[in-house]
Amino acid sequence: MARNTHPSPGGASSPDPKGSVEDFAHVNTIVMDLDDTIVSGTPPLLAYIETLYEGLSRVTRLSMAEIAKGFAEIRLNEIYAFTKALNQHGPLREKYPHGDLNERFAHIGERANKAFVDALQPDPDFVAAIERWHAQGYRLILMTEGPGSATTTKIDPLPFADALEKIVV
């Protein structure tokens, strides 16, 4: 919660814990969180994983357990980078010992990324607030603890992406 450390005109800050207009008179920057504030993080992640796992299983005829096992072995990668780490996927590499698996299954990765983006549902009230704050001249900074690749994927299609002055991952 932002609080103005300078007393309001009248001698003191507002007793209201939310503050008063005067308490925020000198605020020129708004810092926001991405996941579960502007967008819900879980549905897009589930859409990405389901599309990736089901697509690989259908095309390769590997079981879902084998697909999951291969990704568990390369867990050091960001989950959103799984589509670029298929060459390290043990069960896939055993079945397809030659060639670039990232390239071979790029169409599945593209579908998984599209499912992720399609599942993003920014909170309309928050989007309206961001647009209003931008129009009012506030500096808008986004901070998130999510992986960088996911942050870019989430922000790029959002209608207010250009309003953000800085993104801190």
Side-chain angles (χ1 to χ4, degrees):
M1 151 109 48
R3 292 288 286 161
N4 184 358
T5 57
H6 305 295
S8 298
S13 291
S14 167
D16 180 355
K18 293 180 183 174
S20 69
V21 173
E22 292 82 19
D23 287 331
F24 297 96
H26 301 290
V27 173
N28 68 354
T29 303
I30 299 172
V31 180
M32 302 163 283
D33 179 42
L34 177 64
D35 289 323
D36 298 321
T37 301
I38 300 172
V39 297
S40 175
T42 303
L45 178 59
L46 291 176
Y48 173 85
I49 292 170
E50 288 172 6
T51 303
L52 181 60
Y53 280 40
E54 289 170 3
L56 288 172
S57 181
R58 186 174 45 258
V59 169
T60 65
R61 306 280 188 233
L62 291 172
S63 71
M64 292 294 268
E66 291 172 298
I67 299 295
K69 178 182 180 263
F71 283 121
E73 293 170 356
I74 56 174
R75 200 61 167 180
L76 296 177
N77 289 294
E78 293 180 8
I79 197 163
Y80 302 103
F82 277 180
T83 57
K84 303 292 186 219
L86 298 179
N87 289 315
Q88 291 84 43
H89 190 286
L92 283 176
R93 183 48 73 198
E94 285 177 28
K95 186 159 186 162
Y96 303 95
H98 306 292
D100 184 347
L101 299 180
N102 296 326
E103 190 174 303
R104 181 180 195 132
F105 300 112
H107 64 288
I108 296 171
E110 290 168 8
R111 281 200 310 261
N113 290 333
K114 183 178 182 330
F116 179 87
V117 170
D118 289 348
L120 289 174
Q121 297 297 321
D123 180 309
D125 292 333
F126 206 87
V127 171
I130 290 170
E131 291 169 349
R132 186 174 55 253
W133 295 331
H134 180 66
Q136 291 171 347
Y138 286 97
R139 296 176 59 222
L140 303 175
I141 298 173
L142 181 80
M143 294 182 73
T144 184
E145 62 186 350
S149 61
T151 300
T152 301
T153 302
K154 290 176 187 177
I155 291 173
D156 285 348
L158 297 176
F160 57 82
D162 292 339
L164 300 173
E165 181 176 314
K166 190 170 190 167
I167 299 169
V168 181
V169 180

